[in-house]
Amino acid sequence: MPEEITSQIKRLAPLLEEDSDVFRELSTFFGEGAKIEMHRDDLSKFLQDNRTFEVVRVSGKSYKDCVYELVDNYPEMMDAIGMLRYYKAPAGKIKWEEVEAAEIAMGNELTTNAYGWAPDAWTIFESSDTEHSLVAIVALDSLL
Protein backbone atom coordinates (compact mmCIF):
# COMPACT_ATOMS: atom_id res chain seq x y z
CA MET A 1 0.00 0.00 0.00
CA PRO A 2 1.40 3.39 -0.90
CA GLU A 3 2.78 5.25 2.11
CA GLU A 4 1.10 8.47 0.97
CA ILE A 5 -2.37 6.89 1.31
CA THR A 6 -1.50 5.35 4.68
CA SER A 7 -0.28 8.65 6.08
CA GLN A 8 -3.32 10.50 4.71
CA ILE A 9 -5.71 8.00 6.35
CA LYS A 10 -3.82 8.32 9.65
CA ARG A 11 -3.95 12.12 9.45
CA LEU A 12 -7.66 12.29 8.57
CA ALA A 13 -8.79 9.53 10.97
CA PRO A 14 -6.23 9.19 13.77
CA LEU A 15 -8.49 6.84 15.77
CA LEU A 16 -8.87 4.39 12.89
CA GLU A 17 -6.64 1.42 13.64
CA GLU A 18 -4.24 0.35 10.92
CA ASP A 19 -5.22 -3.31 11.24
CA SER A 20 -8.96 -2.60 10.92
CA ASP A 21 -11.02 -3.72 7.92
CA VAL A 22 -11.91 -0.12 7.12
CA PHE A 23 -8.27 1.02 7.06
CA ARG A 24 -7.21 -1.95 4.91
CA GLU A 25 -10.07 -1.51 2.43
CA LEU A 26 -9.50 2.23 2.13
CA SER A 27 -5.85 1.48 1.39
CA THR A 28 -6.91 -1.00 -1.28
CA PHE A 29 -9.51 1.34 -2.78
CA PHE A 30 -7.05 4.21 -3.15
CA GLY A 31 -4.04 1.97 -3.81
CA GLU A 32 -2.43 0.64 -6.92
CA GLY A 33 -4.04 -1.63 -9.46
CA ALA A 34 -7.44 0.06 -9.70
CA LYS A 35 -8.74 0.24 -13.26
CA ILE A 36 -10.31 3.63 -12.50
CA GLU A 37 -8.07 5.96 -10.54
CA MET A 38 -9.75 7.54 -7.53
CA HIS A 39 -9.59 11.18 -6.50
CA ARG A 40 -7.85 11.69 -3.18
CA ASP A 41 -10.48 14.31 -2.27
CA ASP A 42 -12.94 11.44 -1.87
CA LEU A 43 -10.84 10.14 1.03
CA SER A 44 -11.09 13.40 2.97
CA LYS A 45 -14.83 13.64 2.21
CA PHE A 46 -15.32 10.05 3.34
CA LEU A 47 -13.40 10.41 6.61
CA GLN A 48 -15.32 13.44 7.88
CA ASP A 49 -16.13 13.85 11.57
CA ASN A 50 -19.27 12.31 13.10
CA ARG A 51 -19.18 9.22 10.92
CA THR A 52 -18.84 5.56 11.67
CA PHE A 53 -17.62 3.11 9.09
CA GLU A 54 -18.45 -0.41 8.02
CA VAL A 55 -17.11 -2.82 5.41
CA VAL A 56 -19.48 -5.16 3.59
CA ARG A 57 -18.29 -7.91 1.24
CA VAL A 58 -20.64 -9.71 -1.14
CA SER A 59 -20.20 -12.02 -4.10
CA GLY A 60 -22.35 -13.35 -6.90
CA LYS A 61 -22.53 -14.64 -10.44
CA SER A 62 -22.46 -11.11 -11.85
CA TYR A 63 -21.74 -7.56 -10.72
CA LYS A 64 -25.50 -6.93 -10.68
CA ASP A 65 -25.99 -9.96 -8.40
CA CYS A 66 -23.51 -8.35 -6.02
CA VAL A 67 -25.52 -5.13 -5.97
CA TYR A 68 -28.75 -6.99 -5.23
CA GLU A 69 -26.99 -9.02 -2.53
CA LEU A 70 -25.84 -5.78 -0.92
CA VAL A 71 -29.28 -4.15 -1.10
CA ASP A 72 -31.27 -7.22 0.00
CA ASN A 73 -29.04 -8.39 2.84
CA TYR A 74 -27.70 -5.12 4.23
CA PRO A 75 -30.67 -2.77 4.66
CA GLU A 76 -28.53 -0.38 6.72
CA MET A 77 -27.06 0.73 3.38
CA MET A 78 -30.21 2.80 2.98
CA ASP A 79 -28.91 4.97 5.85
CA ALA A 80 -25.45 5.45 4.32
CA ILE A 81 -24.15 8.99 3.96
CA GLY A 82 -21.14 7.94 1.89
CA MET A 83 -19.98 4.85 0.06
CA LEU A 84 -16.76 3.83 -1.63
CA ARG A 85 -16.97 0.49 -3.38
CA TYR A 86 -14.92 -1.69 -5.61
CA TYR A 87 -15.71 -4.67 -7.72
CA LYS A 88 -13.37 -7.59 -8.19
CA ALA A 89 -13.53 -8.87 -11.74
CA PRO A 90 -13.17 -12.60 -12.36
CA ALA A 91 -10.10 -13.66 -14.30
CA GLY A 92 -10.23 -12.53 -17.91
CA LYS A 93 -11.29 -9.37 -19.68
CA ILE A 94 -13.40 -6.92 -17.67
CA LYS A 95 -16.86 -6.58 -19.17
CA TRP A 96 -17.42 -2.87 -18.65
CA GLU A 97 -21.04 -2.94 -19.86
CA GLU A 98 -21.84 -5.35 -16.99
CA VAL A 99 -20.20 -3.06 -14.45
CA GLU A 100 -22.18 -0.14 -15.84
CA ALA A 101 -25.41 -2.17 -15.54
CA ALA A 102 -24.56 -2.93 -11.90
CA GLU A 103 -23.95 0.74 -11.13
CA ILE A 104 -27.27 1.67 -12.76
CA ALA A 105 -28.94 -0.98 -10.60
CA MET A 106 -27.21 0.49 -7.53
CA GLY A 107 -28.61 3.91 -8.34
CA ASN A 108 -32.09 2.51 -9.01
CA GLU A 109 -32.18 0.44 -5.83
CA LEU A 110 -30.81 3.10 -3.51
CA THR A 111 -32.43 6.19 -4.96
CA THR A 112 -33.67 7.32 -1.54
CA ASN A 113 -30.19 8.35 -0.40
CA ALA A 114 -27.74 7.58 -3.20
CA TYR A 115 -27.59 11.07 -4.60
CA GLY A 116 -26.90 12.56 -1.19
CA TRP A 117 -23.88 10.35 -0.55
CA ALA A 118 -20.63 12.19 -0.08
CA PRO A 119 -18.68 10.62 -1.56
CA ASP A 120 -20.15 8.04 -3.88
CA ALA A 121 -17.35 6.44 -5.89
CA TRP A 122 -16.42 3.08 -7.34
CA THR A 123 -13.61 1.31 -9.10
CA ILE A 124 -12.70 -2.19 -10.20
CA PHE A 125 -9.73 -4.52 -9.78
CA GLU A 126 -8.77 -7.61 -11.71
CA SER A 127 -8.86 -10.80 -9.67
CA SER A 128 -7.96 -14.44 -10.10
CA ASP A 129 -11.27 -15.49 -8.51
CA THR A 130 -14.00 -17.12 -10.54
CA GLU A 131 -16.84 -15.16 -8.90
CA HIS A 132 -17.69 -11.50 -9.09
CA SER A 133 -17.44 -9.65 -5.80
CA LEU A 134 -18.11 -6.24 -4.36
CA VAL A 135 -16.53 -4.59 -1.34
CA ALA A 136 -18.44 -1.60 0.01
CA ILE A 137 -16.84 0.77 2.50
CA VAL A 138 -19.76 2.61 4.02
CA ALA A 139 -19.98 5.79 6.06
CA LEU A 140 -22.91 6.12 8.45
CA ASP A 141 -23.93 9.11 10.49
CA SER A 142 -22.65 8.44 14.00
CA LEU A 143 -25.44 10.62 15.40
CA LEU A 144 -28.16 8.15 14.33
Side-chain angles (χ1 to χ4, degrees):
M1 102 184 57
E3 185 59 37
E4 182 181 334
I5 296 297
T6 302
S7 62
Q8 189 174 7
I9 294 169
K10 287 179 181 178
R11 182 178 53 77
L12 293 168
L15 299 177
L16 193 59
E17 294 185 24
E18 217 173 320
D19 63 347
S20 70
D21 269 355
V22 173
F23 196 104
R24 278 191 303 271
E25 294 301 352
L26 286 171
S27 298
T28 298
F29 185 83
F30 288 97
E32 297 173 1
K35 295 300 178 185
I36 300 171
E37 192 172 325
M38 292 293 94
H39 296 284
R40 300 272 168 93
D41 280 352
D42 285 339
L43 183 59
S44 59
K45 287 178 190 172
F46 190 76
L47 293 174
Q48 293 177 29
D49 289 340
N50 298 320
R51 289 180 167 200
T52 57
F53 307 100
E54 183 179 338
V55 173
V56 177
R57 293 176 184 85
V58 294
S59 59
K61 294 180 182 174
S62 70
Y63 303 115
K64 219 172 181 179
D65 283 350
C66 293
V67 168
Y68 292 131
E69 180 79 18
L70 181 72
V71 170
D72 292 344
N73 295 319
Y74 297 91
E76 65 271 21
M77 296 306 107
M78 298 303 278
D79 293 327
I81 57 175
M83 183 185 290
L84 302 173
R85 59 195 170 279
Y86 66 87
Y87 298 92
K88 288 185 189 175
K93 187 177 176 183
I94 295 173
K95 296 179 181 172
W96 289 100
E97 63 281 357
E98 291 179 12
V99 181
E100 184 178 322
E103 280 298 300
I104 290 168
M106 178 76 77
N108 289 341
E109 292 297 322
L110 299 176
T111 52
T112 57
N113 284 336
Y115 298 104
W117 289 351
D120 175 21
W122 66 274
T123 191
I124 190 166
F125 292 88
E126 289 180 7
S127 173
S128 58
D129 295 340
T130 57
E131 275 199 308
H132 298 77
S133 62
L134 171 64
V135 175
I137 313 160
V138 182
L140 301 163
D141 189 343
S142 64
L143 302 175
L144 289 178

